[in-house]
Amino acid sequence: MTKRNSFYSPTIFEQVNKENTALLNDYILELKSKRKSEGTIYQYASDIKMFFCWAFNNLNNKFVLDMKKRDFRRFFLELQESGASSARINRVQCSLRNMLEFASEDEDEYDYPINVMKNIKGLQKEEVREIHFLTDEQIDIILNYLINKKQYQKALYLSLSYESAGRRNEVFQVLKDGFLENNKTNIVQGKRGKKFQLLYFSRSKEIAKLYFEQRGSDDIDSLWIVGKGEDRRPAQYETLYNWCMSFRKILFKETGELIEFNPHSFRHSSLTNYENGTHYVLKELGKEKLELNVLKTLANHSDISTTQSYLPNKDAEILAEAFGI
């Protein structure tokens, strides 16, 4: 079990205080009513479930609304000692704080006047993780490996992510219906509640044909599935992350390069390669490259400065060219 989920256990969660699970279920309904994305709800629920499992083992399965500030502090200390990053701990704090705030606002259902999490400060953020960009050739190497191994679903995830520049959460929301007949996905929800469609091109459609033939017929709407036969079910959000980790191993096996990229690297790499003229889709479109304002629209950014921040810093290259270094 990874450090990220070191306290969670499905077996333990089944024994968690029913008042805790009832509160979580109420909170999930509240998030759905506010049209939070599936990925966001999944993350919040996972964080809270992990805490409830820890409380089962360490706080005698106490009802969360009866817990004191010291109980939460003890949990976050243990989470920190388990190796969780500051960003991870701060997100878990946010998940719990928001659920408790929901309880404090619902006076008819819960007698919880003060949210004790409000005064627990988050950890100082660590240095921003290095962004790893993949070249068009490196994407090709991974894709060709997956296709040769007939791992068509994983290949489609990579191809769709790279062509659309979509975030993992957005790609996770794509449905299978109509995928082969269009070049735009169903409407997905991105950050700050934005709704839009993701663009994709011929390679993703060709891979999708192979995938759908391999997958066969089922009544699952999601483009992404796990399991076989009667155990077949929609993939979870975390599944796409695990696929990405397997892509690291493939690239290392095929090239000897160990690059610690993550799902967001596909978005960075897509925008960068569209901008520098190396993205394979540009040949299909008959274009040399895409301008920054087009990339802003593709990435569904509100501000062009955000799009610029996704691209590699070129200051050193500009100076080298200017001074002939």
Side-chain angles (χ1 to χ4, degrees):
M1 187 175 291
T2 64
K3 290 179 180 177
R4 180 173 180 151
N5 298 303
S6 57
F7 299 128
Y8 174 75
S9 163
T11 303
I12 293 175
F13 187 71
E14 290 178 0
Q15 306 171 65
V16 160
N17 188 317
K18 298 307 177 187
E19 288 185 294
N20 284 337
T21 55
L23 173 57
L24 174 58
N25 290 334
D26 282 351
Y27 180 52
I28 289 173
L29 289 175
E30 175 72 5
L31 293 175
K32 288 180 178 179
S33 72
K34 291 183 175 180
R35 300 188 179 279
K36 296 293 185 182
S37 69
E38 287 186 29
T40 297
I41 294 173
Y42 174 83
Q43 288 178 346
Y44 283 6
S46 296
D47 292 341
I48 295 166
K49 287 178 180 179
M50 176 182 66
F51 173 71
F52 285 164
C53 288
W54 177 87
F56 176 88
N57 288 321
N58 295 275
L59 299 177
N60 295 318
N61 213 10
K62 187 190 294 186
F63 183 31
V64 66
L65 300 187
D66 292 333
M67 293 180 191
K68 307 297 183 184
K69 190 186 298 185
R70 62 176 176 270
D71 295 325
F72 293 104
R73 283 177 171 164
R74 179 183 165 194
F75 167 68
F76 294 127
L77 178 60
E78 289 195 27
L79 191 59
Q80 186 176 19
E81 290 175 346
S82 76
S85 67
S86 297
R88 168 67 173 157
I89 293 170
N90 288 340
R91 198 189 80 184
V92 176
Q93 286 187 357
C94 180
S95 298
L96 287 167
R97 186 183 299 113
N98 290 344
M99 183 185 68
L100 295 180
E101 189 63 21
F102 159 73
S104 70
E105 292 173 352
D106 192 346
E107 296 179 359
D108 294 332
E109 187 70 26
Y110 301 103
D111 182 17
Y112 190 65
I114 300 175
N115 179 357
V116 299
M117 277 285 298
K118 269 191 170 182
N119 296 323
I120 297 180
K121 295 182 179 179
L123 300 181
Q124 184 176 353
K125 290 187 177 180
E126 299 162 339
E127 291 185 10
V128 177
R129 183 184 299 176
E130 181 183 359
I131 299 171
H132 295 282
F133 298 90
L134 295 174
T135 66
D136 195 79
E137 290 77 14
Q138 289 169 330
I139 295 287
D140 268 351
I141 289 170
I142 300 170
L143 270 178
N144 289 334
Y145 180 94
L146 292 170
I147 292 171
N148 288 336
K149 296 293 184 180
K150 298 185 178 180
Q151 297 179 22
Y152 301 130
Q153 181 174 204
K154 292 181 180 179
L156 180 58
Y157 163 58
L158 175 57
S159 182
L160 177 58
S161 299
Y162 181 56
E163 289 179 0
S164 69
R167 300 177 179 88
R168 175 169 51 130
N169 175 45
E170 297 158 4
V171 174
F172 176 68
Q173 298 173 52
V174 177
L175 306 178
K176 69 177 181 181
D177 186 48
F179 192 90
L180 294 178
E181 292 74 39
N182 301 288
N183 284 92
K184 291 183 179 180
T185 68
N186 53 285
I187 294 175
V188 300
Q189 183 169 308
K191 285 190 172 182
R192 289 175 290 278
K194 285 186 179 179
K195 293 183 177 181
F196 45 83
Q197 294 170 288
L198 300 176
L199 284 176
Y200 56 95
F201 299 91
S202 59
R203 182 162 71 184
S204 287
K205 292 172 76 170
E206 290 301 315
I207 296 172
K209 288 179 184 177
L210 296 172
Y211 166 48
F212 291 153
E213 183 178 349
Q214 183 184 65
R215 172 171 167 172
S217 61
D218 58 57
D219 57 0
I220 299 174
D221 294 331
S222 175
L223 188 59
W224 318 112
I225 61 170
V226 294
K228 296 180 180 179
E230 294 182 359
D231 191 41
R232 182 177 289 186
R233 59 199 183 279
Q236 293 188 325
Y237 182 63
E238 198 71 16
T239 300
L240 275 60
Y241 178 85
N242 293 335
W243 288 347
C244 178
M245 295 303 98
S246 72
F247 299 164
R248 288 185 186 179
K249 297 177 182 178
I250 291 171
L251 188 62
F252 178 70
K253 178 180 179 181
E254 296 295 296
T255 67
E257 295 180 272
L258 181 60
I259 303 176
E260 295 184 348
F261 57 86
N262 57 40
H264 212 58
S265 298
F266 305 144
R267 180 169 168 86
H268 283 281
S269 302
S270 174
L271 296 173
T272 298
N273 295 343
Y274 276 128
E275 190 269 343
N276 65 25
T278 61
H279 201 298
Y280 97 93
V281 165
L282 294 172
K283 294 179 182 179
E284 185 175 324
L285 299 177
K287 296 181 179 293
E288 291 186 3
K289 63 179 182 178
L290 299 183
E291 299 299 327
L292 197 58
N293 64 318
V294 179
L295 296 179
K296 170 182 172 291
T297 304
L298 178 66
N300 292 286
H301 285 150
S302 299
D303 194 297
I304 204 164
S305 63
T306 305
T307 312
Q308 184 68 60
S309 71
Y310 268 68
L311 308 177
N313 189 307
K314 295 182 179 179
D315 290 351
E317 296 176 24
I318 293 172
L319 287 175
E321 183 176 346
F323 291 97
I325 300 174

